[in-house]
Amino acid sequence: GQNIDQPTEMTATEGAIVQINCTYQTSGFNGLFWYQQHAGEAPTFLSYNVLDGLEEKGRFSSFLSRSKGYSYLLLKELQMKDSASYLCAAFLNYGQNFVFGPGTRLSVLP
Amino acid sequence: EPEVTQTPSHQVTQMGQEVILRCVPISNHLYFYWYRQILGQKVEFLVSFYNNEISEKSEIFDDQFSVERPDGSNFTLKIRSTKLEDSAMYFCASSEGTPANEQFFGPGTRLTVL
Protein backbone atom coordinates (compact mmCIF):
# COMPACT_ATOMS: atom_id res chain seq x y z
CA GLY A 1 0.00 0.00 0.00
CA GLN A 2 0.89 3.64 -0.08
CA ASN A 3 2.16 5.09 3.18
CA ILE A 4 3.55 8.39 4.36
CA ASP A 5 4.83 9.14 7.85
CA GLN A 6 5.48 12.41 9.64
CA PRO A 7 5.96 13.30 13.29
CA THR A 8 2.64 14.28 14.84
CA GLU A 9 3.77 17.37 16.70
CA MET A 10 6.82 19.59 17.02
CA THR A 11 7.60 22.64 19.11
CA ALA A 12 10.19 25.31 18.38
CA THR A 13 11.11 28.79 19.52
CA GLU A 14 10.61 32.00 17.59
CA GLY A 15 13.71 32.82 15.55
CA ALA A 16 14.96 29.22 15.55
CA ILE A 17 15.28 26.66 12.75
CA VAL A 18 13.13 23.55 12.58
CA GLN A 19 13.26 20.51 10.29
CA ILE A 20 10.11 18.50 9.64
CA ASN A 21 10.76 15.03 8.26
CA CYS A 22 8.63 12.93 5.96
CA THR A 23 9.20 9.34 4.88
CA TYR A 24 7.20 7.60 2.20
CA GLN A 25 6.67 4.14 0.78
CA THR A 26 4.76 4.43 -2.46
CA SER A 27 4.65 3.00 -5.94
CA GLY A 28 4.64 5.15 -9.03
CA PHE A 29 6.30 8.03 -7.16
CA ASN A 30 6.58 11.18 -9.20
CA GLY A 31 7.39 13.92 -6.70
CA LEU A 32 6.66 15.33 -3.28
CA PHE A 33 4.61 18.32 -2.22
CA TRP A 34 4.75 20.29 1.01
CA TYR A 35 1.72 22.28 2.16
CA GLN A 36 1.01 24.55 5.11
CA GLN A 37 -2.41 24.34 6.73
CA HIS A 38 -3.54 26.70 9.46
CA ALA A 39 -6.28 25.38 11.70
CA GLY A 40 -9.67 25.56 10.00
CA GLU A 41 -8.20 26.70 6.70
CA ALA A 42 -7.29 25.17 3.34
CA PRO A 43 -3.80 23.89 2.58
CA THR A 44 -1.48 26.32 0.81
CA PHE A 45 1.34 25.22 -1.46
CA LEU A 46 4.91 25.54 -0.21
CA SER A 47 7.06 23.43 -2.52
CA TYR A 48 7.26 20.57 -4.98
CA ASN A 49 10.39 18.41 -5.34
CA VAL A 50 10.96 16.02 -8.20
CA LEU A 51 14.74 15.69 -8.25
CA ASP A 52 17.02 14.81 -5.37
CA GLY A 53 18.47 17.72 -3.48
CA LEU A 54 17.59 20.90 -1.68
CA GLU A 55 15.36 23.64 -3.05
CA GLU A 56 15.33 26.95 -1.25
CA LYS A 57 12.52 29.45 -1.30
CA GLY A 58 12.98 32.30 1.14
CA ARG A 59 12.75 31.08 4.75
CA PHE A 60 11.53 27.67 3.61
CA SER A 61 13.61 24.92 1.99
CA SER A 62 12.64 21.41 0.98
CA PHE A 63 14.86 18.39 0.44
CA LEU A 64 14.20 15.12 -1.33
CA SER A 65 16.04 11.80 -1.51
CA ARG A 66 14.22 9.45 -3.85
CA SER A 67 16.50 6.51 -3.08
CA LYS A 68 15.78 6.80 0.66
CA GLY A 69 12.10 7.68 0.35
CA TYR A 70 12.75 10.73 2.48
CA SER A 71 12.03 14.42 2.45
CA TYR A 72 12.24 17.27 4.88
CA LEU A 73 10.98 20.82 5.14
CA LEU A 74 13.34 23.30 6.75
CA LEU A 75 11.93 26.48 8.25
CA LYS A 76 14.36 29.23 9.24
CA GLU A 77 13.91 32.33 11.36
CA LEU A 78 10.66 30.98 12.75
CA GLN A 79 7.81 33.40 13.30
CA MET A 80 4.69 32.99 15.39
CA LYS A 81 2.60 32.87 12.22
CA ASP A 82 4.46 29.69 11.20
CA SER A 83 2.44 27.81 13.82
CA ALA A 84 0.42 25.48 11.60
CA SER A 85 0.24 21.92 10.32
CA TYR A 86 2.71 20.97 7.62
CA LEU A 87 1.58 18.30 5.20
CA CYS A 88 3.75 16.27 2.90
CA ALA A 89 2.05 14.59 -0.04
CA ALA A 90 3.37 12.19 -2.66
CA PHE A 91 2.28 12.72 -6.23
CA LEU A 92 1.88 9.37 -7.95
CA ASN A 93 1.83 8.62 -11.63
CA TYR A 94 -1.54 6.90 -11.62
CA GLY A 95 -4.54 5.83 -9.60
CA GLN A 96 -4.71 7.50 -6.22
CA ASN A 97 -2.60 10.32 -7.61
CA PHE A 98 -1.98 12.06 -4.28
CA VAL A 99 -1.27 10.49 -0.92
CA PHE A 100 -1.02 12.81 2.05
CA GLY A 101 0.81 12.30 5.26
CA PRO A 102 -0.99 12.88 8.57
CA GLY A 103 0.58 16.32 8.95
CA THR A 104 2.96 17.70 11.55
CA ARG A 105 1.51 20.29 13.90
CA LEU A 106 4.20 22.88 14.60
CA SER A 107 3.89 25.20 17.56
CA VAL A 108 6.16 28.24 17.61
CA LEU A 109 6.66 29.61 21.10
CA PRO A 110 7.88 33.12 22.01
CA GLU B 1 -5.45 37.98 -6.96
CA PRO B 2 -7.51 35.14 -8.50
CA GLU B 3 -8.74 32.51 -6.09
CA VAL B 4 -10.77 29.31 -5.97
CA THR B 5 -14.20 29.81 -4.44
CA GLN B 6 -16.55 27.23 -2.97
CA THR B 7 -20.20 27.28 -1.99
CA PRO B 8 -21.76 26.73 0.42
CA SER B 9 -19.29 27.17 3.26
CA HIS B 10 -21.35 24.80 5.41
CA GLN B 11 -23.92 22.23 4.31
CA VAL B 12 -26.06 20.23 6.69
CA THR B 13 -28.03 17.32 5.30
CA GLN B 14 -29.90 14.23 6.38
CA MET B 15 -28.45 10.79 5.78
CA GLY B 16 -29.56 9.44 2.42
CA GLN B 17 -30.01 12.86 0.83
CA GLU B 18 -28.16 14.06 -2.23
CA VAL B 19 -25.80 17.03 -1.95
CA ILE B 20 -24.01 19.08 -4.56
CA LEU B 21 -20.90 21.01 -3.58
CA ARG B 22 -19.90 23.80 -5.89
CA CYS B 23 -16.54 25.22 -6.83
CA VAL B 24 -15.36 27.93 -9.19
CA PRO B 25 -11.73 27.21 -10.12
CA ILE B 26 -9.30 29.90 -11.22
CA SER B 27 -10.32 30.87 -14.74
CA ASN B 28 -7.22 29.91 -16.75
CA HIS B 29 -6.60 26.67 -14.87
CA LEU B 30 -7.01 23.38 -16.67
CA TYR B 31 -6.90 20.75 -13.91
CA PHE B 32 -9.43 20.49 -11.12
CA TYR B 33 -9.47 18.37 -7.98
CA TRP B 34 -11.61 17.40 -5.05
CA TYR B 35 -10.18 16.41 -1.67
CA ARG B 36 -11.79 15.69 1.65
CA GLN B 37 -10.55 15.99 5.21
CA ILE B 38 -12.44 14.34 8.03
CA LEU B 39 -12.08 16.37 11.21
CA GLY B 40 -8.69 15.75 12.80
CA GLN B 41 -7.54 13.44 10.03
CA LYS B 42 -5.36 13.71 6.94
CA VAL B 43 -6.31 15.18 3.61
CA GLU B 44 -7.54 12.53 1.16
CA PHE B 45 -7.54 12.79 -2.62
CA LEU B 46 -10.87 12.06 -4.27
CA VAL B 47 -10.64 12.88 -7.96
CA SER B 48 -8.85 14.89 -10.61
CA PHE B 49 -10.55 16.27 -13.71
CA TYR B 50 -9.11 17.45 -16.99
CA ASN B 51 -10.52 18.18 -20.42
CA ASN B 52 -14.07 17.49 -19.26
CA GLU B 53 -13.40 14.04 -17.92
CA ILE B 54 -12.09 12.30 -14.85
CA SER B 55 -8.32 11.93 -15.00
CA GLU B 56 -7.71 9.91 -11.85
CA LYS B 57 -9.79 8.85 -8.87
CA SER B 58 -9.15 7.21 -5.53
CA GLU B 59 -10.86 4.21 -3.96
CA ILE B 60 -12.97 6.62 -1.91
CA PHE B 61 -14.55 7.98 -5.08
CA ASP B 62 -17.09 5.21 -5.57
CA ASP B 63 -20.42 5.17 -7.40
CA GLN B 64 -21.96 7.50 -4.83
CA PHE B 65 -19.74 10.32 -6.07
CA SER B 66 -19.75 12.15 -9.36
CA VAL B 67 -18.18 15.32 -10.71
CA GLU B 68 -19.28 17.64 -13.44
CA ARG B 69 -18.28 20.85 -15.15
CA PRO B 70 -21.75 22.02 -16.17
CA ASP B 71 -20.56 25.28 -17.69
CA GLY B 72 -17.35 27.18 -18.30
CA SER B 73 -16.82 28.18 -14.70
CA ASN B 74 -18.36 25.77 -12.19
CA PHE B 75 -17.00 22.42 -11.06
CA THR B 76 -19.31 20.34 -8.89
CA LEU B 77 -19.08 17.30 -6.64
CA LYS B 78 -22.29 15.33 -6.13
CA ILE B 79 -22.82 12.78 -3.42
CA ARG B 80 -25.93 10.80 -4.30
CA SER B 81 -26.95 9.27 -1.00
CA THR B 82 -25.00 10.72 1.89
CA LYS B 83 -23.78 8.59 4.78
CA LEU B 84 -22.74 9.68 8.25
CA GLU B 85 -19.11 8.98 7.36
CA ASP B 86 -19.27 11.50 4.51
CA SER B 87 -19.17 14.27 7.10
CA ALA B 88 -15.94 16.13 6.35
CA MET B 89 -14.44 19.27 4.91
CA TYR B 90 -14.40 19.08 1.13
CA PHE B 91 -11.75 21.11 -0.66
CA CYS B 92 -11.72 21.95 -4.33
CA ALA B 93 -8.41 22.84 -5.96
CA SER B 94 -7.18 23.82 -9.39
CA SER B 95 -3.84 24.04 -11.15
CA GLU B 96 -2.73 25.82 -14.27
CA GLY B 97 -0.88 22.90 -15.77
CA THR B 98 -0.38 19.29 -14.84
CA PRO B 99 -1.01 18.03 -11.29
CA ALA B 100 2.71 18.50 -10.67
CA ASN B 101 2.13 22.24 -10.70
CA GLU B 102 1.11 24.36 -7.76
CA GLN B 103 -2.46 23.66 -6.75
CA PHE B 104 -4.61 26.42 -5.35
CA PHE B 105 -7.17 25.30 -2.80
CA GLY B 106 -10.56 26.79 -2.14
CA PRO B 107 -11.68 27.57 1.43
CA GLY B 108 -13.66 24.33 1.66
CA THR B 109 -17.24 23.25 2.30
CA ARG B 110 -17.95 21.68 5.65
CA LEU B 111 -20.49 18.89 5.09
CA THR B 112 -22.37 17.60 8.12
CA VAL B 113 -24.53 14.52 7.64
CA LEU B 114 -27.10 13.90 10.38
mmCIF file of all heavy atoms in Angstrom, chain A residues 33-64:
data_model
loop_
_atom_site.group_PDB
_atom_site.id
_atom_site.type_symbol
_atom_site.label_atom_id
_atom_site.label_comp_id
_atom_site.label_asym_id
_atom_site.label_seq_id
_atom_site.Cartn_x
_atom_site.Cartn_y
_atom_site.Cartn_z
ATOM 1 N N PHE A 33 5.097 16.989 -2.563
ATOM 2 C CA PHE A 33 4.609 18.321 -2.218
ATOM 3 C C PHE A 33 4.733 18.563 -0.721
ATOM 4 O O PHE A 33 4.609 17.644 0.079
ATOM 5 C CB PHE A 33 3.119 18.446 -2.561
ATOM 6 C CG PHE A 33 2.799 18.596 -4.019
ATOM 7 C CD1 PHE A 33 2.506 17.483 -4.785
ATOM 8 C CD2 PHE A 33 2.761 19.851 -4.612
ATOM 9 C CE1 PHE A 33 2.189 17.617 -6.133
ATOM 10 C CE2 PHE A 33 2.439 19.995 -5.958
ATOM 11 C CZ PHE A 33 2.149 18.872 -6.712
ATOM 12 N N TRP A 34 4.913 19.833 -0.364
ATOM 13 C CA TRP A 34 4.747 20.294 1.014
ATOM 14 C C TRP A 34 3.692 21.395 1.017
ATOM 15 O O TRP A 34 3.725 22.289 0.174
ATOM 16 C CB TRP A 34 6.050 20.839 1.599
ATOM 17 C CG TRP A 34 6.995 19.765 2.059
ATOM 18 C CD1 TRP A 34 8.048 19.249 1.377
ATOM 19 C CD2 TRP A 34 6.972 19.096 3.322
ATOM 20 N NE1 TRP A 34 8.685 18.289 2.130
ATOM 21 C CE2 TRP A 34 8.049 18.184 3.331
ATOM 22 C CE3 TRP A 34 6.164 19.178 4.457
ATOM 23 C CZ2 TRP A 34 8.330 17.356 4.419
ATOM 24 C CZ3 TRP A 34 6.439 18.354 5.540
ATOM 25 C CH2 TRP A 34 7.511 17.451 5.517
ATOM 26 N N TYR A 35 2.769 21.287 1.986
ATOM 27 C CA TYR A 35 1.717 22.281 2.155
ATOM 28 C C TYR A 35 1.732 22.764 3.598
ATOM 29 O O TYR A 35 2.106 22.044 4.519
ATOM 30 C CB TYR A 35 0.337 21.679 1.881
ATOM 31 C CG TYR A 35 0.053 21.361 0.439
ATOM 32 C CD1 TYR A 35 0.343 20.108 -0.088
ATOM 33 C CD2 TYR A 35 -0.532 22.307 -0.397
ATOM 34 C CE1 TYR A 35 0.078 19.804 -1.408
ATOM 35 C CE2 TYR A 35 -0.810 22.009 -1.725
ATOM 36 C CZ TYR A 35 -0.504 20.764 -2.222
ATOM 37 O OH TYR A 35 -0.769 20.472 -3.524
ATOM 38 N N GLN A 36 1.264 23.992 3.778
ATOM 39 C CA GLN A 36 1.015 24.548 5.106
ATOM 40 C C GLN A 36 -0.495 24.641 5.290
ATOM 41 O O GLN A 36 -1.205 25.056 4.370
ATOM 42 C CB GLN A 36 1.638 25.947 5.225
ATOM 43 C CG GLN A 36 1.447 26.615 6.577
ATOM 44 C CD GLN A 36 1.871 28.082 6.553
ATOM 45 O OE1 GLN A 36 1.301 28.897 5.815
ATOM 46 N NE2 GLN A 36 2.879 28.423 7.342
ATOM 47 N N GLN A 37 -0.975 24.244 6.458
ATOM 48 C CA GLN A 37 -2.405 24.342 6.726
ATOM 49 C C GLN A 37 -2.617 24.909 8.121
ATOM 50 O O GLN A 37 -2.335 24.244 9.123
ATOM 51 C CB GLN A 37 -3.106 22.985 6.600
ATOM 52 C CG GLN A 37 -4.616 23.072 6.719
ATOM 53 C CD GLN A 37 -5.303 21.732 6.551
ATOM 54 O OE1 GLN A 37 -4.742 20.676 6.852
ATOM 55 N NE2 GLN A 37 -6.548 21.768 6.053
ATOM 56 N N HIS A 38 -3.136 26.135 8.177
ATOM 57 C CA HIS A 38 -3.535 26.702 9.465
ATOM 58 C C HIS A 38 -4.868 26.092 9.867
ATOM 59 O O HIS A 38 -5.675 25.693 9.030
ATOM 60 C CB HIS A 38 -3.636 28.227 9.370
ATOM 61 C CG HIS A 38 -2.307 28.915 9.360
ATOM 62 N ND1 HIS A 38 -1.702 29.361 8.207
ATOM 63 C CD2 HIS A 38 -1.446 29.212 10.371
ATOM 64 C CE1 HIS A 38 -0.531 29.908 8.504
ATOM 65 N NE2 HIS A 38 -0.353 29.829 9.812
ATOM 66 N N ALA A 39 -5.086 26.025 11.155
ATOM 67 C CA ALA A 39 -6.283 25.381 11.701
ATOM 68 C C ALA A 39 -7.545 25.978 11.077
ATOM 69 O O ALA A 39 -7.726 27.208 11.052
ATOM 70 C CB ALA A 39 -6.314 25.542 13.215
ATOM 71 N N GLY A 40 -8.400 25.113 10.570
ATOM 72 C CA GLY A 40 -9.666 25.558 10.003
ATOM 73 C C GLY A 40 -9.569 26.165 8.618
ATOM 74 O O GLY A 40 -10.573 26.678 8.103
ATOM 75 N N GLU A 41 -8.379 26.109 8.025
ATOM 76 C CA GLU A 41 -8.204 26.703 6.701
ATOM 77 C C GLU A 41 -7.781 25.646 5.678
ATOM 78 O O GLU A 41 -7.509 24.495 6.013
ATOM 79 C CB GLU A 41 -7.170 27.821 6.762
ATOM 80 C CG GLU A 41 -7.602 28.974 7.658
ATOM 81 C CD GLU A 41 -6.595 30.118 7.654
ATOM 82 O OE1 GLU A 41 -5.663 30.105 6.828
ATOM 83 O OE2 GLU A 41 -6.741 31.026 8.490
ATOM 84 N N ALA A 42 -7.722 26.065 4.418
ATOM 85 C CA ALA A 42 -7.290 25.171 3.342
ATOM 86 C C ALA A 42 -5.769 25.073 3.309
ATOM 87 O O ALA A 42 -5.062 25.976 3.758
ATOM 88 C CB ALA A 42 -7.809 25.689 2.010
ATOM 89 N N PRO A 43 -5.246 23.976 2.776
ATOM 90 C CA PRO A 43 -3.798 23.891 2.578
ATOM 91 C C PRO A 43 -3.324 24.934 1.573
ATOM 92 O O PRO A 43 -4.037 25.265 0.621
ATOM 93 C CB PRO A 43 -3.600 22.478 2.013
ATOM 94 C CG PRO A 43 -4.826 21.723 2.386
ATOM 95 C CD PRO A 43 -5.928 22.734 2.400
ATOM 96 N N THR A 44 -2.120 25.441 1.790
ATOM 97 C CA THR A 44 -1.482 26.321 0.807
ATOM 98 C C THR A 44 -0.146 25.724 0.406
ATOM 99 O O THR A 44 0.587 25.187 1.237
ATOM 100 C CB THR A 44 -1.277 27.748 1.341
ATOM 101 O OG1 THR A 44 -0.524 27.671 2.551
ATOM 102 C CG2 THR A 44 -2.596 28.425 1.620
ATOM 103 N N PHE A 45 0.158 25.832 -0.869
ATOM 104 C CA PHE A 45 1.340 25.217 -1.460
ATOM 105 C C PHE A 45 2.608 25.871 -0.931
ATOM 106 O O PHE A 45 2.713 27.091 -0.846
ATOM 107 C CB PHE A 45 1.245 25.384 -2.980
ATOM 108 C CG PHE A 45 2.475 25.001 -3.738
ATOM 109 C CD1 PHE A 45 2.667 23.699 -4.138
ATOM 110 C CD2 PHE A 45 3.429 25.951 -4.054
ATOM 111 C CE1 PHE A 45 3.804 23.343 -4.853
ATOM 112 C CE2 PHE A 45 4.570 25.615 -4.772
ATOM 113 C CZ PHE A 45 4.757 24.310 -5.172
ATOM 114 N N LEU A 46 3.585 25.038 -0.585
ATOM 115 C CA LEU A 46 4.906 25.538 -0.208
ATOM 116 C C LEU A 46 5.961 25.152 -1.239
ATOM 117 O O LEU A 46 6.757 25.995 -1.654
ATOM 118 C CB LEU A 46 5.325 24.982 1.163
ATOM 119 C CG LEU A 46 4.522 25.451 2.375
ATOM 120 C CD1 LEU A 46 5.010 24.746 3.635
ATOM 121 C CD2 LEU A 46 4.624 26.961 2.532
ATOM 122 N N SER A 47 5.991 23.876 -1.628
ATOM 123 C CA SER A 47 7.060 23.434 -2.525
ATOM 124 C C SER A 47 6.677 22.131 -3.195
ATOM 125 O O SER A 47 5.769 21.423 -2.753
ATOM 126 C CB SER A 47 8.368 23.233 -1.756
ATOM 127 O OG SER A 47 8.241 22.169 -0.833
ATOM 128 N N TYR A 48 7.396 21.847 -4.288
ATOM 129 C CA TYR A 48 7.256 20.568 -4.985
ATOM 130 C C TYR A 48 8.649 20.135 -5.426
ATOM 131 O O TYR A 48 9.328 20.867 -6.138
ATOM 132 C CB TYR A 48 6.323 20.678 -6.179
ATOM 133 C CG TYR A 48 6.188 19.394 -6.975
ATOM 134 C CD1 TYR A 48 5.670 18.259 -6.380
ATOM 135 C CD2 TYR A 48 6.583 19.322 -8.304
ATOM 136 C CE1 TYR A 48 5.541 17.076 -7.086
ATOM 137 C CE2 TYR A 48 6.452 18.153 -9.025
ATOM 138 C CZ TYR A 48 5.933 17.025 -8.420
ATOM 139 O OH TYR A 48 5.806 15.845 -9.116
ATOM 140 N N ASN A 49 9.075 18.951 -4.973
ATOM 141 C CA ASN A 49 10.387 18.410 -5.343
ATOM 142 C C ASN A 49 10.212 17.180 -6.230
ATOM 143 O O ASN A 49 9.447 16.274 -5.878
ATOM 144 C CB ASN A 49 11.180 17.990 -4.094
ATOM 145 C CG ASN A 49 11.582 19.161 -3.233
ATOM 146 O OD1 ASN A 49 10.750 19.867 -2.665
ATOM 147 N ND2 ASN A 49 12.886 19.382 -3.132
ATOM 148 N N VAL A 50 10.926 17.181 -7.316
ATOM 149 C CA VAL A 50 10.957 16.017 -8.196
ATOM 150 C C VAL A 50 12.330 15.359 -8.156
ATOM 151 O O VAL A 50 12.445 14.141 -8.058
ATOM 152 C CB VAL A 50 10.623 16.407 -9.650
ATOM 153 C CG1 VAL A 50 10.746 15.206 -10.559
ATOM 154 C CG2 VAL A 50 9.224 16.985 -9.724
ATOM 155 N N LEU A 51 13.362 16.200 -8.216
ATOM 156 C CA LEU A 51 14.736 15.694 -8.245
ATOM 157 C C LEU A 51 15.325 15.679 -6.839
ATOM 158 O O LEU A 51 14.899 16.440 -5.968
ATOM 159 C CB LEU A 51 15.589 16.582 -9.147
ATOM 160 C CG LEU A 51 15.102 16.724 -10.586
ATOM 161 C CD1 LEU A 51 15.992 17.693 -11.348
ATOM 162 C CD2 LEU A 51 15.070 15.361 -11.277
ATOM 163 N N ASP A 52 16.315 14.833 -6.647
ATOM 164 C CA ASP A 52 17.024 14.809 -5.369
ATOM 165 C C ASP A 52 17.707 16.147 -5.113
ATOM 166 O O ASP A 52 18.187 16.801 -6.041
ATOM 167 C CB ASP A 52 18.104 13.706 -5.385
ATOM 168 C CG ASP A 52 17.519 12.323 -5.242
ATOM 169 O OD1 ASP A 52 16.295 12.206 -5.116
ATOM 170 O OD2 ASP A 52 18.299 11.354 -5.266
ATOM 171 N N GLY A 53 17.739 16.517 -3.842
ATOM 172 C CA GLY A 53 18.471 17.719 -3.476
ATOM 173 C C GLY A 53 17.603 18.712 -2.750
ATOM 174 O O GLY A 53 16.451 18.446 -2.419
ATOM 175 N N LEU A 54 18.219 19.850 -2.473
ATOM 176 C CA LEU A 54 17.588 20.903 -1.682
ATOM 177 C C LEU A 54 17.110 22.027 -2.591
ATOM 178 O O LEU A 54 17.847 22.477 -3.459
ATOM 179 C CB LEU A 54 18.607 21.447 -0.667
ATOM 180 C CG LEU A 54 18.120 22.468 0.342
ATOM 181 C CD1 LEU A 54 17.169 21.819 1.336
ATOM 182 C CD2 LEU A 54 19.293 23.104 1.058
ATOM 183 N N GLU A 55 15.884 22.465 -2.349
ATOM 184 C CA GLU A 55 15.357 23.637 -3.052
ATOM 185 C C GLU A 55 15.009 24.684 -2.013
ATOM 186 O O GLU A 55 14.286 24.403 -1.068
ATOM 187 C CB GLU A 55 14.112 23.278 -3.867
ATOM 188 C CG GLU A 55 14.417 22.379 -5.048
ATOM 189 C CD GLU A 55 13.324 22.383 -6.091
ATOM 190 O OE1 GLU A 55 12.394 23.201 -5.998
ATOM 191 O OE2 GLU A 55 13.410 21.549 -7.012
ATOM 192 N N GLU A 56 15.527 25.888 -2.232
ATOM 193 C CA GLU A 56 15.332 26.945 -1.251
ATOM 194 C C GLU A 56 14.380 27.990 -1.804
ATOM 195 O O GLU A 56 14.473 28.385 -2.978
ATOM 196 C CB GLU A 56 16.681 27.584 -0.893
ATOM 197 C CG GLU A 56 17.648 26.601 -0.267
ATOM 198 C CD GLU A 56 18.938 27.240 0.210
ATOM 199 O OE1 GLU A 56 18.882 28.088 1.117
ATOM 200 O OE2 GLU A 56 19.998 26.898 -0.342
ATOM 201 N N LYS A 57 13.486 28.430 -0.917
ATOM 202 C CA LYS A 57 12.517 29.450 -1.303
ATOM 203 C C LYS A 57 12.302 30.339 -0.090
ATOM 204 O O LYS A 57 11.448 30.090 0.744
ATOM 205 C CB LYS A 57 11.207 28.783 -1.744
ATOM 206 C CG LYS A 57 10.259 29.698 -2.489
ATOM 207 C CD LYS A 57 8.916 29.014 -2.780
ATOM 208 C CE LYS A 57 9.031 27.890 -3.779
ATOM 209 N NZ LYS A 57 7.680 27.338 -4.143
ATOM 210 N N GLY A 58 13.101 31.391 0.007
ATOM 211 C CA GLY A 58 12.977 32.299 1.144
ATOM 212 C C GLY A 58 13.357 31.609 2.451
ATOM 213 O O GLY A 58 14.396 30.958 2.548
ATOM 214 N N ARG A 59 12.467 31.694 3.445
ATOM 215 C CA ARG A 59 12.754 31.081 4.753
ATOM 216 C C ARG A 59 12.535 29.573 4.737
ATOM 217 O O ARG A 59 12.933 28.877 5.663
ATOM 218 C CB ARG A 59 11.876 31.701 5.836
ATOM 219 C CG ARG A 59 12.176 33.160 6.137
ATOM 220 C CD ARG A 59 11.439 33.636 7.394
ATOM 221 N NE ARG A 59 9.989 33.546 7.263
ATOM 222 C CZ ARG A 59 9.220 32.730 7.999
ATOM 223 N NH1 ARG A 59 9.759 31.922 8.901
ATOM 224 N NH2 ARG A 59 7.897 32.729 7.828
ATOM 225 N N PHE A 60 11.867 29.084 3.675
ATOM 226 C CA PHE A 60 11.531 27.665 3.609
ATOM 227 C C PHE A 60 12.400 26.961 2.574
ATOM 228 O O PHE A 60 12.628 27.489 1.486
ATOM 229 C CB PHE A 60 10.060 27.477 3.228
ATOM 230 C CG PHE A 60 9.073 27.936 4.274
ATOM 231 C CD1 PHE A 60 9.478 28.584 5.417
ATOM 232 C CD2 PHE A 60 7.715 27.728 4.087
ATOM 233 C CE1 PHE A 60 8.576 29.005 6.372
ATOM 234 C CE2 PHE A 60 6.790 28.154 5.045
ATOM 235 C CZ PHE A 60 7.225 28.782 6.187
ATOM 236 N N SER A 61 12.874 25.767 2.924
ATOM 237 C CA SER A 61 13.612 24.920 1.994
ATOM 238 C C SER A 61 13.048 23.521 2.082
ATOM 239 O O SER A 61 12.578 23.098 3.143
ATOM 240 C CB SER A 61 15.103 24.877 2.369
ATOM 241 O OG SER A 61 15.659 26.165 2.394
ATOM 242 N N SER A 62 13.110 22.794 0.967
ATOM 243 C CA SER A 62 12.640 21.409 0.975
ATOM 244 C C SER A 62 13.679 20.527 0.321
ATOM 245 O O SER A 62 14.303 20.909 -0.673
ATOM 246 C CB SER A 62 11.286 21.288 0.271
ATOM 247 O OG SER A 62 11.355 21.798 -1.033
ATOM 248 N N PHE A 63 13.847 19.333 0.896
ATOM 249 C CA PHE A 63 14.856 18.392 0.444
ATOM 250 C C PHE A 63 14.183 17.080 0.087
ATOM 251 O O PHE A 63 13.206 16.665 0.725
ATOM 252 C CB PHE A 63 15.886 18.152 1.560
ATOM 253 C CG PHE A 63 16.849 17.038 1.274
ATOM 254 C CD1 PHE A 63 17.994 17.273 0.546
ATOM 255 C CD2 PHE A 63 16.602 15.753 1.738
ATOM 256 C CE1 PHE A 63 18.888 16.248 0.276
ATOM 257 C CE2 PHE A 63 17.491 14.712 1.475
ATOM 258 C CZ PHE A 63 18.631 14.964 0.742
ATOM 259 N N LEU A 64 14.717 16.420 -0.931
ATOM 260 C CA LEU A 64 14.196 15.119 -1.333
ATOM 261 C C LEU A 64 15.340 14.153 -1.609
ATOM 262 O O LEU A 64 16.320 14.518 -2.254
ATOM 263 C CB LEU A 64 13.334 15.248 -2.593
ATOM 264 C CG LEU A 64 12.766 13.950 -3.177
ATOM 265 C CD1 LEU A 64 11.744 13.336 -2.226
ATOM 266 C CD2 LEU A 64 12.148 14.192 -4.544
#
